[in-house]
Amino acid sequence: MSPLHNLSEETLILLLKKKNQQAFSYLYDHYADALFGVVCRIVISTEHAEEVIQDVFVKIWRYIDVFDESKGRLYTWMINIARNTALDHRKSKAIINEQKNQPLSNIVNREEEQDQSQGGLHIKSDFIGFSTILDKLKPEWRILIEMAYYEGYTQQEIAEQLDVPLGTVKTRTRAAFIQLQQLLKEYR
């Protein structure tokens, strides 16, 4: 067993800000799977997701000094870094071109592989049980949350994609977040 085990969040943050290598290893060991799950929901390829997760941990290491405990939990901060890094990766020109230039057979095979491996992938991407909570939302609310959070669409882009007025998207999103708050309180 490593000298660091069962660290409190406060102690972990303090050690990370001191650039303690063991604390960083502890952080990786305890959070990599959950963050990888978030990244996999956004980045289609496992290979790309592995690259993104490396970038995520580099950013965490680099920017831990700007983390402010009074504004939220470390885990939430890390999820936001993972999500934003994955969205940036997905929207990069190289990735967009790579996706456009893939033969149809590659796309079909990848989707079939994901369907077959869904058990393992789903467990990782649902490490915190969030998809179970999303399942409890109305379908028209769930799609909004998925498009905004996992796919990085703006409310304007969602309105255009779904062919509904922007005001409707805003109202439904607000209602979805209110229900999500309730569901998350019950989940704890």
Side-chain angles (χ1 to χ4, degrees), residues 169-187:
V169 170
K170 289 181 177 185
T171 301
R172 288 180 182 173
T173 302
R174 190 171 23 260
F177 278 122
I178 290 169
Q179 187 179 7
L180 273 175
Q181 285 177 327
Q182 281 304 120
L183 292 169
L184 286 170
K185 285 179 186 175
E186 294 169 11
Y187 184 75

Side-chain angles (χ1 to χ4, degrees), residues 22-35:
Q22 288 180 320
F24 187 74
S25 293
Y26 176 91
L27 182 82
Y28 186 86
D29 291 344
H30 287 82
Y31 293 96
D33 283 345
L35 296 177

Side-chain angles (χ1 to χ4, degrees), residues 32-97:
D33 283 345
L35 296 177
F36 187 76
V38 170
V39 169
C40 282
R41 290 285 306 249
I42 298 167
V43 178
I44 295 174
S45 155
T46 303
E47 180 182 318
H48 288 267
E50 289 169 357
E51 291 173 24
V52 170
I53 205 69
Q54 288 176 3
D55 290 344
V56 167
F57 277 95
V58 167
K59 287 179 180 180
I60 290 168
W61 179 254
R62 252 189 215 151
Y63 299 111
I64 190 66
D65 291 330
V66 299
F67 172 69
D68 183 356
E69 305 89 68
S70 69
K71 293 184 179 177
R73 299 201 55 201
L74 177 64
Y75 183 65
T76 305
W77 181 73
M78 292 189 307
I79 284 179
N80 284 325
I81 290 173
R83 178 183 172 271
N84 292 337
T85 304
L87 289 171
D88 289 345
H89 178 81
R90 184 174 158 177
K91 290 181 178 181
S92 73
K93 287 183 181 181
I95 298 304
I96 291 169
N97 286 336

